Amino acid sequence: QGKRGTADIVLYDRDQVAHPAHWLMVQTELRHALERDELVLHYQPKVRLADDGISGLEALVRWQHPSRGLLSPAEFLPAAEQSGLIEPLTAWVLRRALDDQAGWTALGQQWPVAVNVSARNLEAPGFPRVVAALVAEHGTPSGRLLLEVTETALAGDAATAADAVVELTALGIGVSVDDFGIGFTSLSQLRSVPVAEVKIDRSFVTDLDTDAPNQAIVRSVIALAHGLGLRVTAEGVETPAVSAWLAEAGCDDAQGYLFARPTAWPHLLDLYLNPRGS
Ligand code: C2E
Ligand code: CA
Ligand code: CA
Ligand code: CA
């Protein structure tokens, strides 16, 4: 288990121990980045396997660093999470995502937007209120904002996290269990927390057309999730063979480079409103 997903986490932890000075610098710079609006959001569509329609866009944060270029979240999120900057960062992402959504809605696209939130956000007592205020400010209809939360965020000492999910759900905000399958504590958690969707981790998806153990796992996740009334999304779909296997297995949605890489949202509008050959 844990080909890529878990390996990443180990790597960040090692970095933090090895380079505390570098890490402090990232925190200081990130604080400035938030003030100077240097972060950007790219969006990746979530595609319905049944008809290839878009069922939503996931916001993925990047940092347009003045000297180091476009940085991926792996290069600054760990520092943000450890320092408490994740709270203003998530608030920034939510606001920008809802602003961008107003843009595509005005152009006639009703796409829901999904925002990734950290365990630390979910455990902060005021978090549902912060989200409620942003949603009220934007007039976001029920079901149009989803929050993606990792399985481990729900699985730990999860009383606050579970309460937050209940509150968010009551506000019409769906909660999605991200990186599903690598935590192993999932079944009982899914029963007690009102989540709307599970996203199967990429480590199970990459070789799905040929890897028998992953096929068995994914089939049972789909059956479990559907039995609980949840939608299932597979992430990291890169080949037509994997997409076809997932459609056959009854998976609802898929995301991955096969359909589109994360990009600024107007490009997605081009891609889907002016498809090649029309
Ligand atoms: P994630 O939520 O699991 O997001 C999926 C990651 O896989 C993204 O990496 C995406 O660019 C990448 N990806 C999508 N399709 C494919 C594919 O077909 N193949 C491969 N190999 N990769 C694919 P990214 O953008 O670097 O984000 C990494 C992680 O950082 C995310 O994983 C998420 O946990 C976190 N993250 C991203 N944006 C935010 C944010 O705004 N807030 C928080 N708290 N976390 C974020
Ligand atoms: Ca995600
Ligand atoms: Ca994910
Ligand atoms: Ca993942």
Side-chain angles (χ1 to χ4, degrees), residues 173-190:
I173 296 156
V175 174
S176 171
V177 187
D178 211 347
D179 296 346
F180 189 79
I182 57 179
F184 287 109
T185 39
S186 19
L187 201 137
S188 60
Q189 290 300 326
L190 281 191

Side-chain angles (χ1 to χ4, degrees), residues 148 178-179 199 235:
E148 299 194 1
D178 211 347
D179 296 346
K199 295 188 77 173
E235 62 174 33

Side-chain angles (χ1 to χ4, degrees), residues 4 8 12 41-42 44 58-62 72-74 76-77 81 86 89-90 92-94 115-119 121 148 150 178-179 199 201-202 206 235-239 255-262:
R4 279 172 220 175
D8 291 348
Y12 309 150
L41 293 185
H42 283 178
Q44 187 178 39
E58 177 180 1
L60 295 157
V61 70
R62 279 95 182 81
S72 72
F76 58 93
L77 276 182
E81 285 175 353
I86 192 66
L89 187 148
T90 298
W92 184 93
V93 171
L94 278 163
V115 168
N116 292 281
V117 305
S118 298
N121 293 129
E148 299 194 1
T150 61
D178 211 347
D179 296 346
K199 295 188 77 173
D201 190 63
R202 186 169 86 224
T206 307
E235 62 174 33
V237 177
E238 296 181 352
T239 65
Q255 264 182 307
Y257 295 165
L258 174 65
F259 307 103
R261 289 183 179 253

Side-chain angles (χ1 to χ4, degrees), residues 25 33 125 138 146 156 250 262:
M25 195 182 77
H138 286 81
L146 262 100

Side-chain angles (χ1 to χ4, degrees), residues 10-194:
V10 173
L11 199 73
Y12 309 150
D13 284 343
R14 220 186 280 136
D15 268 352
Q16 289 161 20
V17 176
H19 306 291
H22 167 75
W23 197 64
L24 260 177
M25 195 182 77
V26 172
Q27 281 180 27
T28 309
E29 283 191 55
L30 188 53
R31 195 166 284 125
H32 290 144
L34 280 164
E35 287 160 9
R36 294 174 195 155
D37 226 24
E38 289 172 4
L39 300 185
V40 292
L41 293 185
H42 283 178
Y43 292 90
Q44 187 178 39
K46 195 186 285 183
V47 175
R48 277 190 305 271
L49 285 164
D51 63 5
D52 287 347
I54 295 189
S55 57
L57 302 186
E58 177 180 1
L60 295 157
V61 70
R62 279 95 182 81
W63 179 359
Q64 188 63 64
H65 192 282
S67 60
R68 289 196 287 148
L70 194 66
L71 304 183
S72 72
E75 296 172 86
F76 58 93
L77 276 182
E81 285 175 353
Q82 298 280 320
S83 63
L85 279 175
I86 192 66
E87 295 194 33
L89 187 148
T90 298
W92 184 93
V93 171
L94 278 163
R95 179 180 295 278
R96 175 59 55 88
L98 292 173
D99 287 348
D100 287 347
Q101 185 180 49
W104 67 69
T105 303
L107 293 170
Q109 300 300 325
Q110 312 281 302
W111 300 325
V113 69
V115 168
N116 292 281
V117 305
S118 298
R120 187 151 172 177
N121 293 129
L122 212 60
E123 287 159 7
F127 183 65
R129 259 176 290 130
V130 170
V131 181
L134 285 165
V135 159
E137 190 185 309
H138 286 81
T140 312
S142 181
R144 215 66 75 74
L145 172 65
L146 262 100
L147 300 183
E148 299 194 1
V149 177
T150 61
E151 185 187 356
T152 37
L154 293 175
D157 175 20
T160 339
D163 286 351
V165 174
V166 172
E167 276 185 66
L168 290 162
T169 302
L171 292 166
I173 296 156
V175 174
S176 171
V177 187
D178 211 347
D179 296 346
F180 189 79
I182 57 179
F184 287 109
T185 39
S186 19
L187 201 137
S188 60
Q189 290 300 326
L190 281 191
R191 194 187 47 191
S192 53
V193 182

Side-chain angles (χ1 to χ4, degrees), residues 224-238:
L224 163 68
H226 284 171
L228 293 168
L230 313 180
R231 283 186 79 78
V232 184
T233 297
E235 62 174 33
V237 177
E238 296 181 352

